[in-house]
Amino acid sequence: ITCRSAEGISVHVLSYLQDPLHPGLLSEISKARDARLTRAERMVELLAEDFPITWDDVHAHVGHGATVGRPHIADALVAAGVVADRTEAFAHILTSHSRYYVTHYAPDPVLVVEMVRQAGGVPVFAHPVASGRGRVVGEDVFHQMVEAGLAGVEADHRDNPPEGQAWLRRFAAGNGLFITGSSDYHGAGKPNRLGENITAAEVLYRILDEGTGAEAFLPGHSTTS
C-alpha cells in the first residue's frame, strides 16, 4: 500500500493475510487506487507533449485487473525507445523531481498499519531506508508505526544500503519486530531478480500465526507442518 507521511515522504506498507473484504481497508485502498488512475492519466498527458507516448500505449502494458502506475508508463517509454529500461525511466523522466510527476492521494502510514491490523493482517514496512529512491522517514515515524501495530521491516532489500540494513536490524531487535527479505520483483523491466532476498522460515510461520484476516479464504492452513 503506497502511503505518504505528514512530511510528504512516500512509504510502502506490505499487508499479509488480511481480510480482503474488510470495509475500512478496502475503502482506503479503493480511494488511493482511483487517485492513482487519475494521476497516471495526467502524467501521460504531460509526457505526450515531449515524447511519442499515448494512453493506449501505456494500457498495452497493464495486466488484467492491475492499476495503471508509473511502472506501466515506464514500460511504454521503453517500448517507444525513449529509455533503455524502467530504471532509466525512473531515474530521470519519472522521478518525483521531474516536471512530468504528478502527486496523488496516499493515506498516512500509521493509519494504514492500524487498518491492516483491524483487518487481521500483518503489516510490514517495505524497503524503509532506501534513500536512493528519495527521502526516507525519520525514526519518529518508525516508532509511530510500531505503536500502531507494525509487525516487521523489510531489511534485506537491494535498495537498503548496508548501514541502513544494520540499523534496521538493531531497530527491529529493540522493538520486537521481525525481519523479512525481498526481491521486489516486478518483471524483467527492473534489475531485481526473483528470490534474490528471501525470508527465514520462522518469520514465515510467525506471519501465518499473526495473520487471521484471510482464514476464511484459506481453509485448513496450518503452521504446524
Side-chain angles (χ1 to χ4, degrees):
I1 304 170
T2 299
C3 310
R4 185 173 294 112
S5 72
E7 299 79 20
I9 299 173
S10 180
V11 172
H12 289 178
V13 175
L14 307 173
S15 177
Y16 295 104
L17 300 179
Q18 76 285 347
D19 175 0
L21 302 180
H22 184 271
L25 186 59
L26 190 60
S27 175
E28 199 65 30
I29 291 175
S30 297
K31 183 178 178 180
R33 181 188 179 109
D34 291 344
R36 284 170 66 90
L37 178 60
T38 303
R39 173 263 202 126
E41 291 174 337
R42 179 55 183 154
M43 286 188 68
V44 173
E45 288 177 359
L46 292 172
L47 287 162
E49 296 175 3
D50 299 316
F51 303 105
I53 183 175
T54 66
W55 184 245
D56 287 341
D57 294 333
V58 174
H59 242 282
H61 298 276
V62 182
H64 177 69
T67 301
V68 181
R70 284 189 296 166
H72 307 111
I73 298 174
D75 289 343
L77 290 169
V78 172
V82 176
V83 292
D85 51 34
R86 279 188 184 179
T87 300
E88 183 181 348
F90 274 89
H92 303 290
I93 299 174
L94 301 180
T95 173
S96 59
H97 305 295
S98 166
R99 83 171 191 87
Y100 308 108
Y101 184 81
V102 177
T103 60
H104 64 91
Y105 169 76
D108 184 89
V110 176
L111 172 64
V112 165
V113 169
E114 292 175 347
M115 288 194 302
V116 168
R117 284 298 194 183
Q118 290 170 12
V122 185
V124 174
F125 194 163
H127 45 74
V129 291
S131 55
R133 293 176 172 226
R135 292 190 299 159
V136 297
V137 296
E139 189 171 342
D140 59 326
V141 176
F142 280 82
H143 285 292
Q144 291 169 21
M145 292 172 70
V146 169
E147 292 175 4
L150 186 67
V153 289
E154 197 179 71
D156 297 325
H157 186 290
R158 65 160 54 213
D159 292 341
N160 289 330
E163 64 276 12
Q165 292 185 24
W167 181 85
L168 285 170
R169 292 182 186 283
R170 293 194 299 271
F171 182 84
N175 290 276
L177 307 179
F178 57 69
I179 294 290
T180 69
S182 173
S183 62
D184 203 4
Y185 179 74
H186 289 271
K190 293 176 63 177
N192 308 52
R193 291 293 169 259
L194 189 62
E196 66 181 42
N197 292 300
I198 60 174
T199 298
E202 59 268 24
V203 174
L204 171 61
Y205 294 143
R206 182 171 168 182
I207 292 173
L208 289 171
D209 284 336
E210 291 188 23
T212 61
E215 287 182 348
F217 302 89
L218 299 171
H221 101 269
S222 172
T223 62
T224 59
S225 59

